[in-house]
Amino acid sequence: LRRQAPRGTRSIGYKRVLVVVKFTPYEAYTQLKLQGKAPKALRWERLKERHANHQACVEQVVSVAKREADSVTVVSRDALSRHHVDDDVDLLISVGGDGTVLSSAHFVDSQSSDEPRGPVVLGVNSDPTRAHERLGACSRTSDERRSLGALCFASARNLEDVVPRAIRGELDAAIQKRHRLAVTIRGSLSETRMPPALNDILVAHPSPAAVSRFRLDRLRNDFCPSPDDPDEFSFNVWSSGLWVSTPTGATGVMASAGGDMGVDVNSR
């Protein structure tokens, strides 16, 4: 949820915008090529074309943002850190695909209806899959699908219309509040708090063939008390890992693993 304007006044929109840009596969493989480590079976022309599409989208988003907002900062997804997403940033525009949105969400403070904090995240799919490239329209030997953009509200095709309206605050009614997972790793000598996860978390042994003991506890469920649902439960299991998903991540790879896809995105 965004910071609310005083009652009786019009939304003044977003003044400080942070644009987070993904590092394309073409850029990554080009660096590996210079080191002699790039795979040989790469379709360089395709990678270069998609990189060009992404760069054109980034330039378009930055141009629109500078036209509509007072301050615009551009940072690479790989260089993004907490100090970039300070209290003054109103809107974070993620340009890339779903992975860029997920990475950006790590650095956004939690929101609540009583005390809204942190920027709104707007995902822009910089190189969306085209109709003739969709699943079922391509063969196994020529899979040309691009980014699905399930977490992106805009794409390269409609950003000239959507992004200016979003910056002006005209699309605030479409903002969705997504729940994330808070993870703390407690060792014998230290405790580490991980970035909040928008999709899912996997706790597993470094070796895929290894089996470890896991204990899962759920404390009192203050959000959704139900007489049919116990307040607390705990179970122990020997397995190769423990996988936990949010409602947002329930339709992703978790669904491929046999998870429940019928989860309300607002469910807690």
Side-chain angles (χ1 to χ4, degrees):
L1 299 176
R2 66 160 296 185
R3 299 178 180 87
Q4 300 294 323
R7 288 186 176 182
T9 63
R10 291 183 57 188
S11 170
I12 58 176
Y14 302 92
K15 299 302 182 183
R16 289 195 60 189
V17 175
L18 175 65
V19 180
V20 180
V21 179
K22 80 170 183 180
F23 194 64
T24 67
Y26 177 78
E27 294 173 294
Y29 285 128
T30 298
Q31 290 187 358
L32 290 176
K33 185 178 180 180
L34 295 175
Q35 301 170 14
K37 299 179 181 179
K40 294 182 179 180
L42 283 176
R43 302 174 68 176
W44 286 101
E45 290 302 319
R46 183 183 66 172
L47 293 175
K48 188 174 181 179
E49 178 208 353
R50 295 185 175 183
H51 172 74
N53 292 340
H54 170 71
Q55 289 297 107
C57 181
V58 170
E59 293 174 4
Q60 203 172 0
V61 169
V62 172
S63 176
V64 170
K66 288 182 176 180
R67 188 173 69 233
E68 298 289 340
D70 292 344
S71 172
V72 178
T73 303
V74 182
V75 62
S76 168
R77 163 183 163 178
D78 295 341
L80 183 65
S81 63
R82 286 287 305 175
H83 80 271
H84 291 110
V85 193
D86 56 31
D87 293 337
D88 293 328
V89 174
D90 297 314
L91 178 66
L92 188 157
I93 303 179
S94 167
V95 186
D98 292 328
T100 310
V101 175
L102 293 172
S103 295
S104 301
H106 289 327
F107 303 97
V108 176
D109 285 335
S110 298
Q111 306 279 353
S112 69
S113 57
D114 298 327
E115 187 182 356
R117 297 179 299 163
V120 172
V121 177
L122 171 65
V124 178
N125 189 350
S126 61
D127 190 22
T129 299
R130 298 163 187 175
H132 68 279
E133 300 168 344
R134 296 188 182 279
L135 185 63
C138 56
S139 67
R140 295 179 62 184
T141 57
S142 60
D143 188 348
E144 297 295 323
R145 285 173 292 166
R146 301 166 193 247
S147 177
L148 177 63
L151 300 176
C152 296
F153 189 76
S155 74
R157 301 188 184 107
N158 63 6
L159 71 86
E160 282 286 356
D161 173 57
V162 175
V163 174
R165 294 173 60 201
I167 295 176
R168 292 194 293 265
E170 297 174 3
L171 300 178
D172 281 2
I175 294 175
Q176 291 183 332
K177 184 176 180 180
R178 299 292 182 104
H179 299 289
R180 298 178 295 175
L181 293 171
V183 181
T184 301
I185 300 175
R186 293 174 179 169
S188 57
L189 300 176
S190 63
E191 180 175 296
T192 304
R193 179 174 296 180
M194 304 298 291
L198 180 59
N199 247 18
D200 49 32
I201 61 169
L202 174 64
V203 183
H205 193 280
S207 173
V211 177
S212 300
R213 181 178 180 180
F214 297 92
R215 174 178 173 178
L216 177 65
D217 296 302
R218 186 186 71 179
L219 302 180
R220 183 173 181 82
N221 191 350
D222 295 324
F223 296 110
C224 305
S226 169
D228 301 324
D229 193 14
D231 289 335
E232 300 179 7
F233 76 81
S234 173
F235 74 88
N236 293 279
V237 62
W238 285 91
S239 70
S240 58
L242 186 64
W243 202 356
V244 184
S245 168
T246 65
T248 298
T251 57
V253 69
M254 182 65 74
S256 301
D260 184 6
M261 290 185 61
V263 179
D264 184 356
V265 72
N266 296 313
S267 171
R268 295 189 179 184

